[in-house]
Amino acid sequence: MSTPMNILKDVDQVCLSAFKSISIKSNGDSLYVGPCCVVEPGMLTTQGIDFEKHELLEHIRESWKQGEVYSECQRCKKLEAAGLPNAKTGINSTIKDYYTSGRTPPASTWDDIYKPDLLRMDYWVGDMCNLACVTCGPKNSSLWRQILQYPKSQQKITTNNFWDKVDFSKLLDVHIHGGEPFLSREHVEFIQAIPNKHKVGLSYNTNGTVLPSPQVFEIWQEYNRVNLDFSFDDIGNRFEYLRWPAKWDQALDTFNYILNKIGPNSSISIYIVDSVLNNPYLTEIKDWWKNNHPTDAYNQPICVEIIPAGSNWGVADLSKAWWLETLDIRDQQYSQGWRDLFPKSIDNVLHP
């Protein structure tokens, strides 16, 4: 029999999210299920969620068992091969830590690895958002749909209250996405409903412009840990352009308030989405954060991470027509055009 260490050494041959993770989005009365936040989820038509036997999840699991990469997992594999951050590497690292830290019983065979156990979850609160970020779009931002003048019937805000349809008794981590989570009433109900909070870690993607309610700060104290990932793609006027209509000074005030309000079970990270616009400025942005906010209130280091942009905004995506169409809209909204704010990026955009 293989030892647990040997199993974990070889386990990156597969993506553990297929066997230990779920991502659930809501659209009207339908739920959409996938293994992680990257794979486009397939529609669920039943009243409950059978994690062990869900058709799409079983298909993806079987692909990995056979040594095949599921079609929508190709992006992660390409990023992994290039040594770049990706969902597969991050989720595998998280789940391996469950085994090595004793948060879940150790895996000693491949049967243990392949056994479906719902240990982590990507929870999408819905698409209510107060920002229309350049690298986002109408799919995850209600404000973008207003700007693009979608028909009123398509501007309805999506919410997610699926938690009575899945067994999360073994859950160890939840990653909360939006929209903007702190605008969601359902998000508060969800984190109240999770059992065994003292065993569970919460992670958030937040745009850093909305304060959590006092109730949220209180509930966080019951959790094993809480990590807040602030999406700050740039600084100053460039930040305001990328994350319109956010204001840089107000965002910093919100960040500092949260920084001083969170408990010792919390940690802070800054995530910079590496897009065709801010790519030449990444070193400057990282240095600003490291110089101005190296640690939190408990002297823990604030991590600054760079992640590649999705939605055709990466420097290798070569989506010139898409970029120029979106930037033309933003130029009309903001007091400065992108060419003035991002002069180092002009060649990237016009001649990719």
Side-chain angles (χ1 to χ4, degrees), residues 6 58 79 139 297 316:
N6 286 338
E58 283 195 304
L79 291 170
K139 187 175 181 180

Side-chain angles (χ1 to χ4, degrees), residues 149-208:
Q149 299 182 334
Y150 274 42
K152 289 293 184 181
S153 60
Q154 297 180 30
Q155 289 192 29
K156 183 179 179 181
I157 292 171
T158 294
T159 58
N160 196 347
N161 58 355
F162 72 86
W163 54 87
D164 60 347
K165 295 178 172 60
V166 63
D167 175 12
F168 42 51
S169 58
K170 296 182 179 179
L171 205 59
L172 295 175
D173 274 303
V174 182
H175 199 137
I176 298 177
H177 308 261
E180 169 49 45
F182 299 136
L183 291 173
S184 167
R185 181 177 61 252
E186 287 76 18
H187 147 256
V188 182
E189 296 173 2
F190 173 61
I191 62 175
Q192 284 179 318
I194 292 177
N196 304 315
K197 296 179 180 63
H198 65 288
K199 296 181 179 180
V200 178
L202 294 180
S203 295
Y204 287 83
N205 285 352
T206 176
N207 64 37

Side-chain angles (χ1 to χ4, degrees), residues 195-232:
N196 304 315
K197 296 179 180 63
H198 65 288
K199 296 181 179 180
V200 178
L202 294 180
S203 295
Y204 287 83
N205 285 352
T206 176
N207 64 37
T209 66
V210 180
L211 285 175
S213 69
Q215 185 181 15
V216 168
F217 283 109
E218 291 178 9
I219 299 171
W220 282 349
Q221 296 177 33
E222 301 178 45
Y223 276 85
N224 179 274
R225 60 176 180 78
V226 177
N227 186 73
L228 300 172
D229 297 338
F230 287 84
S231 296
F232 285 139

Side-chain angles (χ1 to χ4, degrees), residues 325-349:
E325 181 179 351
T326 305
L327 296 177
D328 182 58
I329 295 172
R330 184 52 38 87
D331 280 358
Q332 296 174 43
Q333 297 165 323
Y334 199 66
S335 58
Q336 285 183 276
W338 70 269
R339 291 171 177 82
D340 296 322
L341 286 167
F342 301 88
K344 296 179 183 178
S345 307
I346 292 174
D347 194 58
N348 284 350
V349 177

Side-chain angles (χ1 to χ4, degrees), residues 105-124:
S108 58
T109 69
W110 280 104
D111 286 342
D112 295 328
I113 297 297
Y114 292 150
K115 181 178 182 295
D117 282 316
L118 183 52
L119 302 180
R120 73 169 299 279
M121 176 186 297
D122 285 298
Y123 165 59
W124 298 80

